Amino acid sequence: MARLGRVLLLLTTCLGLLGTAGCGDDYDGLVIGVVLPMTGPQATYGEESWNGLQLAEADLRQAGTNIKFKLVLKDEKSTPQEAQTQAKTLMELEGAHVLLGSVASSNTKTIAGAAKENGTPCITPASTNDNLTTGNPWLSRICYKDSVQGGVLATFALSNGWKRAAVCVDNESDYSRGFADNFKGAFEAAGGTTHFEYFKAGNADYSNVIQGVADANPDVIFISGYYEDGGPMIKQAKARWEGKPVIGGDGLDSAEFLTLIGDAQNPIYFSTHFAPDAPDEPAVKAFAERYRERFGKEPGAMAALGYDVLFVLMDAAKRCANPKSAAELNTAIGATKNVKGITGLISLDNPDRTPNKPLVIVKVEGGAKKFHSTIKP
Ligand code: PHE
């Protein structure tokens, strides 16, 4: 009875503190703040990344790490404003020593801005926009960038004999705009021509962009954007895009995409970071099996990137005398060399702290995603 009393007392003290400064204030380990879209249109990205992070955490704990750490997750609700608010909350109220996040480049941009202002290291698992790491030494990433992805996609299209591309762009998204420009630069330099059409994210009716693309009569349609727009666009385009090939990037890589396109018959290819069915990749296969077992779902790119980002961070932390020192941890992250990830070998010891990794091309066929090829840029 006395014991129960003590537990209750502890619990109420804790809850009382929670209302003011937070119960974890005396935590003496490394606080890893995680900002992800757990709700809103990009929620499937958030869910997958968090699953990957949890799997990595379990593996690290099982292997036994000398570094005491905890993950604190905040939902950025798929908006740049909320991403910034949550990043600040983590740094100012939760004592985060480092931030991980987010997925959409526009959202990572606001997180990285806050991290820079505060002098806190930040690693994005998935944001590919080139400009993010320019002029911000506090941000690193473990994915390739869009000038690379755009170049690979341009070469892929031309090698299929597709010389005239219609490009669908959302001008308000850093990812969409940057990626489209990167593609255009590479595609035109190699002899292709492009025609740009603009759409608005979350616009339930894509008939303008669909008609504009149809009128341009291209060889290939490049959707520079996310699955929540690309999916419905392809579905609505149906007859008007006459079974023409559609290409895209990692933004199309979501399980939801397959549902959203309905029964569209266009050949669809997209570049991404990981395919669970990649042949001759035992580490990928093992990861996919464990992910299915634990979460009952097929892992996408975000799952693998979420897994890798925690390993990169802990590899850097291990090289620090004091991982809680922002400057020391940031320098260690920037010195990352050959960390073996599920998505490839990760080295960040270059001016924009971005790895040079292979891309995976996936083909959508018969309502399923199928590994097509691996391209080393
Ligand atoms: N690369 C995208 C961006 O920068 C995010 C993304 C990564 C989406 C991986 C899907 C898979 O906005």
Side-chain angles (χ1 to χ4, degrees):
M1 204 56 214
R3 188 152 171 252
L4 183 69
R6 274 206 305 277
V7 171
L8 282 176
L9 184 71
L10 201 75
L11 205 69
T12 36
T13 322
C14 207
L15 286 174
L17 278 174
L18 212 58
T20 51
C23 191
D25 272 4
D26 53 358
Y27 183 76
D28 63 351
L30 184 72
V31 182
I32 305 172
V34 181
V35 190
L36 289 169
M38 303 309 291
T39 56
Q42 280 148 13
T44 71
Y45 292 156
E47 184 198 322
E48 269 205 358
S49 318
W50 183 236
N51 288 350
L53 276 161
Q54 284 175 288
L55 214 52
E57 181 183 7
D59 284 0
L60 283 158
R61 296 214 188 279
Q62 203 189 0
T65 161
N66 298 330
I67 299 164
K68 185 174 170 188
F69 72 94
K70 69 168 179 184
L71 301 175
V72 183
L73 171 68
K74 297 284 179 197
D75 177 13
E76 48 101 304
K77 302 185 176 137
S78 304
T79 77
Q81 292 76 14
E82 194 61 23
Q84 187 179 43
T85 304
Q86 294 305 332
K88 285 188 175 162
T89 303
L90 283 165
M91 291 184 292
E92 290 163 13
L93 301 177
E94 303 274 356
H97 299 103
V98 55
L99 298 178
L100 301 180
S102 187
V103 182
S105 288
S106 295
N107 303 10
T108 296
K109 189 158 99 177
T110 65
I111 297 172
K116 182 183 178 183
E117 215 174 277
N118 210 51
T120 298
C122 178
I123 315 177
T124 173
S127 293
T128 46
N129 180 269
D130 277 47
N131 300 336
L132 291 174
T133 51
T134 315
N136 187 350
W138 293 96
L139 180 68
S140 307
R141 71 176 121 216
I142 61 140
C143 51
Y144 52 70
K145 54 185 182 176
D146 285 331
S147 51
V148 173
Q149 184 169 218
V152 163
L153 215 54
T155 309
F156 175 77
L158 289 167
S159 71
N160 278 288
W162 305 327
K163 295 196 178 72
R164 292 171 312 120
V167 183
C168 306
V169 188
D170 167 12
N171 243 340
E172 273 159 44
S173 151
D174 286 283
Y175 168 67
S176 176
R177 210 172 347 104
F179 187 19
D181 287 343
N182 292 141
F183 174 85
K184 178 186 160 87
F187 195 67
E188 291 183 352
T193 59
T194 57
H195 168 88
F196 275 47
E197 285 289 332
Y198 298 91
F199 69 90
K200 249 183 130 46
N203 187 352
D205 177 7
Y206 298 93
S207 46
N208 283 344
V209 61
I210 289 169
Q211 196 53 48
V213 165
D215 292 344
N217 190 29
D219 302 326
V220 64
I221 300 152
F222 168 35
I223 300 179
S224 182
Y226 299 112
Y227 68 94
E228 67 262 28
D229 296 304
M233 202 183 290
I234 294 170
K235 182 178 179 176
Q236 289 172 27
K238 258 198 155 169
R240 277 181 290 175
W241 284 1
E242 296 170 330
K244 278 188 202 289
V246 176
I247 56 174
D250 55 350
L252 298 186
D253 194 359
S254 160
E256 279 285 296
F257 178 67
L258 301 172
T259 316
L260 292 170
I261 59 173
D263 60 353
Q265 294 304 315
N266 311 65
I268 303 170
Y269 300 88
F270 61 79
S271 47
T272 185
H273 310 262
F274 156 92
D277 56 336
D280 310 320
E281 301 260 17
V284 166
K285 197 167 168 233
F287 170 79
E289 270 163 19
R290 291 179 49 232
Y291 188 96
R292 282 181 208 116
E293 212 168 278
R294 174 152 175 191
F295 302 107
K297 282 185 183 170
E298 196 63 11
M302 289 306 322
L305 291 169
Y307 186 87
D308 285 354
V309 77
L310 193 60
F311 273 88
V312 167
L313 171 61
M314 295 315 280
D315 172 83
K318 265 189 255 161
R319 284 181 275 112
C320 293
N322 174 18
K324 288 191 276 182
S325 150
E328 198 184 346
L329 183 58
N330 200 46
T331 305
I333 293 168
T336 296
K337 192 119 189 113
N338 293 334
V339 171
K340 262 204 198 90
I342 301 298
T343 59
L345 215 52
I346 299 168
S347 293
L348 304 179
D349 55 341
N350 53 67
D352 56 2
R353 297 167 311 286
T354 298
N356 182 21
K357 287 198 301 187
L359 283 83
V360 177
I361 304 278
V362 167
K363 182 172 189 193
V364 176
E365 211 169 30
K369 295 194 291 185
K370 294 206 173 88
F371 171 87
H372 176 271
S373 51
T374 299
I375 298 178
K376 291 204 176 77

